[in-house]
């Protein structure tokens, strides 16, 4: 883990191979053995978010941002008047709240004094109606601790608390019933319907050091029995900072036990499907600790925390809107699929973005930017080339059916019958329409190697005879060059 956190991936892999040989049944070892070259795939993964540091960061630890309507809650050690925490020589953590403005700026960060104690407080999660808040805090706030007689210490734990809104302020703070001085529970995330609370804990039944758990929140305010999310989510390492999305299915969390770039990495899992969690890749994740990812569906903005710059900071994560285009190439006459057709994607300025060939199913996939016009140019030997418009969309996927007409040129004893080949005014370049016609000629010539073609061209009467003769010559030669190409 430390080698990865320092970007020394080759050395880290050597140690993982040794670790896997020593503890072959460890989930982390098995995952590594299945795909030891995962780092390259993560580094090349398609970018899903633009990430930018928030302007409200301080020179102390700032993390755990959660946006509730227009209020951004976060946890910070910026209060210099507070007692210093011995572990990192920073003040104890407090809960803060700032205004999230309509232009995306964040201002007026201030401590939420009614929630803060003289010990560590935060992070928080708020229900969809904005009236209930869950937060982490030290058990010391209730004078609850476990004695370490050998070292003459009192051991505090992270516990979970609930607060309700009273007259615009948070009050009626109560401890959740499954708190204990024997283990910690922290980093809460409540589902949109308010019926499930996700959190991290090292309570008995954990697979690793810290796991992600959930508990039912009943209508009468009572709680069910905490449930471990199992080994699709949790490993023998650390899993923490869960965030459940509005769909009550997508879970984001931080893990040091799953294949990552180093330290804690942020993962996404579909709880309904129960499939393996996926790493969000760069720039969300780095070789340092990246954690506490939250996402506000209404504002279409995410937040994460990272120590990539040396101390825990808050970052905004703007999703990159992308559309998957599926182009299906078929014969317009027979409806048979066409393989190995050349399919080119061009943007709204007619600039080539990328090109590919159709696979065995006659398919090509492209990734498009949302709300942008594109066009697809398709060609295949023996078929008329064609262009298809792709309109603006922000849907996850769009399908374009590409129908190519087989070339069926009429050949007489003296000529290959084509539609007239027109040129733009005073130009000699082959237009798209002209190319389509000349492709028919190419197909005929390929099927008859002995065919000899005479290409000639003319202009209108405007201009001098000498200039028009030169232009006609250039047009005829351009036609020849296109056929040869």
């Amino acid at each position: 883990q430390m080698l990865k956190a320092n970007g020394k991936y080759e050395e880290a892999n050597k140690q993982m191979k040794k670790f896997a040989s020593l503890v072959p049944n460890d989930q982390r070892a098995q995952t590594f053995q299945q795909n030891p070259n995962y780092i390259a795939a993560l580094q090349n993964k398609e970018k899903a978010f633009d990430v930018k540091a928030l302007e409200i960061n301080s020179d102390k630890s700032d993390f755990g941002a959660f946006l509730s309507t227009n209020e951004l809650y976060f946890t910070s050690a910026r209060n210099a008047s507070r007692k210093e925490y011995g572990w990192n020589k920073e003040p104890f953590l407090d809960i803060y709240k700032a205004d999230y403005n309509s232009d995306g700026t964040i201002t007026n960060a201030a401590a939420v004094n009614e929630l803060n104690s003289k010990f560590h407080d935060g992070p928080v999660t708020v229900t969809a109606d904005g009236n209930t808040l869950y937060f982490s805090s030290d058990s010391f706030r209730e004078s609850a601790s476990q004695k370490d007689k050998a070292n003459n210490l009192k051991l505090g734990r992270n516990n979970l608390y609930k607060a309700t809104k009273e007259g615009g302020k948070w009050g009626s703070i109560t401890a959740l019933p499954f708190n204990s001085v024997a283990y910690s529970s922290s980093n809460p995330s409540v589902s949109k319907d308010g019926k499930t609370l996700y959190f991290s804990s090292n309570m008995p039944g954990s697979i690793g050091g810290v796991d992600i758990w959930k508990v039912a929140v009943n209508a009468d305010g009572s709680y069910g029995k905490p449930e471990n999310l199992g080994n699709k989510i949790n490993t023998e390492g650390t899993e923490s900072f869960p965030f459940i999305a509005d769909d009550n299915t997508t879970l984001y969390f931080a893990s040091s036990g799953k294949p990552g770039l180093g330290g804690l990495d942020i993962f996404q899992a579909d709880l309904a499907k129960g499939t393996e969690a996926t790493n969000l890749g760069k720039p969300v994740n780095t070789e340092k600790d990246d954690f506490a990812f939250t996402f506000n569906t209404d504002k279409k903005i995410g937040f994460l925390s990272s120590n990539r710059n040396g101390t825990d900071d808050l970052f905004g994560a703007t999703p990159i809107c992308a559309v998957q285009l599926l182009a299906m190439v078929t014969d317009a006459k027979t409806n048979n699929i066409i393989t190995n057709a050349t399919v080119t994607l061009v943007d709204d300025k007619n600039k080539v973005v990328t090109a590919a060939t159709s696979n065995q199913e006659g398919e090509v996939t492209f990734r498009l930017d949302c709300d942008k016009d594109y066009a697809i140019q398709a060609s295949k030997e023996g078929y008329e080339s064609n262009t298809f418009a792709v309109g603006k969309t922000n849907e996850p996927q769009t399908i374009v059916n590409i129908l190519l007409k087989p070339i069926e040129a009429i050949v007489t004893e003296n000529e290959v019958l084509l539609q007239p080949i027109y040129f733009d005014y005073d130009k000699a370049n082959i237009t798209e329409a002209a190319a389509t016609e000349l492709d028919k000629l190419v197909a005929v010539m390929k099927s008859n190697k002995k065919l000899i073609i005479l290409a000639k061209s003319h202009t209108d009467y405007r201009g001098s005879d000498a200039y028009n003769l030169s232009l006609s010559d250039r047009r005829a030669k351009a036609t020849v060059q296109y056929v040869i190409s």
Side-chain angles (χ1 to χ4, degrees):
Q1 285 292 336
M2 291 309 300
L3 286 167
K4 281 205 297 181
N6 284 282
K8 298 178 179 178
Y9 293 127
E10 286 189 26
E11 293 178 51
N13 283 352
K14 289 178 184 177
Q15 296 302 323
M16 276 302 295
K17 287 176 183 175
K18 187 182 292 185
F19 172 72
S21 68
L22 294 168
V23 198
N25 292 327
D26 188 288
Q27 185 181 334
R28 294 164 294 181
Q30 291 175 348
T31 303
F32 174 78
Q33 294 282 56
Q34 290 165 7
N35 183 17
N37 301 314
Y38 67 90
I39 290 291
L42 286 182
Q43 290 176 324
N44 295 325
K45 188 169 182 176
E46 206 163 67
K47 181 178 170 184
F49 293 87
D50 284 321
V51 172
K52 184 180 178 182
L54 299 187
E55 61 268 33
I56 56 168
N57 286 318
S58 68
D59 61 347
K60 301 292 191 294
S61 293
D62 303 286
F63 66 96
F66 177 87
L67 183 58
S68 175
T69 313
N70 296 314
E71 297 175 331
L72 186 74
Y73 289 87
F74 64 98
T75 302
S76 179
R78 66 183 63 194
N79 189 350
S81 65
R82 293 287 304 279
K83 183 181 177 182
E84 212 173 64
Y85 181 50
W87 182 261
N88 60 4
K89 303 301 180 185
E90 286 192 345
F92 274 75
L93 298 168
D94 279 339
I95 297 166
Y96 280 74
K97 184 176 70 174
D99 295 329
Y100 186 83
N101 305 309
S102 58
D103 61 357
T105 58
I106 302 167
T107 54
N108 304 323
V112 187
N113 292 323
E114 65 266 29
L115 293 175
N116 292 321
S117 67
K118 62 181 181 178
F119 303 103
H120 287 308
D121 300 291
V124 313
T125 183
V126 183
T127 54
D129 62 10
N131 293 325
T132 304
L133 178 147
Y134 296 92
F135 67 104
S136 307
S137 184
D138 271 343
S139 61
F140 284 132
R141 78 185 286 146
E142 296 180 282
S143 301
S145 62
Q146 189 180 46
K147 289 184 179 179
D148 179 356
K149 292 180 181 178
N151 296 300
N152 193 28
L153 291 174
K154 286 183 178 180
L155 300 178
R157 302 291 182 183
N158 291 325
N159 280 345
L160 293 173
Y161 296 84
K162 173 186 173 183
T164 54
K165 191 160 277 187
E166 299 170 348
K169 286 187 173 292
W170 296 109
S172 300
I173 297 172
T174 56
L176 299 196
F178 49 86
N179 287 336
S180 172
V181 294
Y183 56 81
S184 286
S185 298
S186 60
N187 305 320
S189 176
V190 65
S191 61
K192 188 175 183 180
D193 60 11
K195 294 179 179 179
T196 310
L197 184 70
Y198 295 82
F199 62 97
S200 57
S201 179
N202 62 343
M203 65 173 59
S206 294
I207 296 171
V210 175
D211 278 6
I212 294 172
W213 295 71
K214 70 176 181 178
V215 66
V217 181
N218 301 320
D220 62 1
S222 63
Y223 298 86
K225 183 181 178 182
E227 299 175 43
N228 189 291
L229 290 196
N231 61 13
K232 289 287 186 183
I233 302 296
N234 297 311
T235 69
E236 293 90 341
T238 293
E239 278 71 41
S240 190
F241 296 96
F243 173 75
I244 188 68
D246 283 353
D247 60 10
N248 204 22
T249 292
T250 304
L251 180 79
Y252 298 94
F253 63 98
S255 172
S256 68
K258 292 186 177 293
L261 293 169
L264 290 170
D265 269 27
I266 296 166
F267 289 79
Q268 177 182 344
D270 188 325
L271 297 181
K273 293 180 180 176
T275 49
E276 293 294 335
T278 56
N279 189 302
L280 291 190
K282 290 188 171 185
V284 170
N285 291 317
T286 64
E287 69 272 16
K288 304 301 183 185
D289 285 330
D290 308 288
F291 57 100
F293 185 93
T294 64
F295 191 80
N296 187 286
T297 305
D298 292 336
K299 302 286 194 301
K300 294 181 180 175
I301 181 71
F303 300 94
L304 64 105
S305 307
S306 176
N307 68 349
R308 64 187 66 182
N309 295 329
T311 187
D312 290 342
D313 281 332
L314 299 166
F315 293 80
T318 306
I320 296 172
C321 187
V323 178
Q324 185 190 56
L325 169 68
L326 175 63
M328 304 174 70
V329 189
T330 55
D331 186 307
K333 190 173 183 180
T334 65
N335 287 325
N336 292 335
I337 61 173
I338 300 176
T339 61
N340 296 318
T342 300
V343 183
T344 304
L345 180 71
V346 297
D347 63 17
D348 53 357
K349 296 179 177 61
N350 213 35
K351 181 181 177 182
V352 173
V353 178
T354 186
T357 55
S358 56
N359 61 20
Q360 294 303 308
E361 284 72 45
E363 297 174 345
V364 177
T365 57
F366 295 118
R367 186 175 183 270
L368 313 182
D369 291 337
C370 290
D371 298 318
K372 187 174 178 181
D373 288 319
Y374 291 88
I376 286 178
Q377 298 170 352
S379 62
K380 168 80 176 185
E381 186 176 319
Y383 290 87
E384 296 180 22
S385 300
N386 208 344
T387 299
F388 303 82
V390 182
K392 296 176 182 177
T393 181
N394 56 14
E395 294 297 319
Q397 187 183 64
T398 186
I399 298 174
V400 175
N401 293 310
I402 297 176
L403 299 175
L404 294 183
K405 293 180 181 178
I407 291 174
E408 298 174 333
I410 299 172
V411 184
T412 70
E413 189 175 341
N414 298 316
E415 62 183 335
V416 179
L417 295 178
L418 304 175
Q419 295 296 319
I421 305 297
Y422 290 111
F423 293 85
D424 290 333
Y425 177 71
D426 199 27
K427 297 283 176 58
N429 56 292
I430 302 299
T431 65
E432 194 175 315
T436 300
E437 290 303 306
L438 290 175
D439 286 347
K440 297 177 184 178
L441 174 61
V442 171
V444 170
M445 293 178 73
K446 282 186 173 180
S447 64
N448 189 339
K449 302 293 185 182
K450 295 182 179 180
L451 203 63
I452 296 173
I453 298 294
L454 170 67
K456 56 185 180 178
S457 180
H458 66 269
T459 70
D460 60 26
Y461 65 90
R462 288 172 290 183
S464 68
D465 288 352
Y467 180 84
N468 284 339
L469 282 169
S470 174
L471 179 59
S472 296
D473 186 57
R474 293 202 309 274
R475 286 176 171 177
K477 287 176 177 175
T479 302
V480 172
Q481 286 303 316
Y482 177 84
V483 172
I484 292 170
S485 71

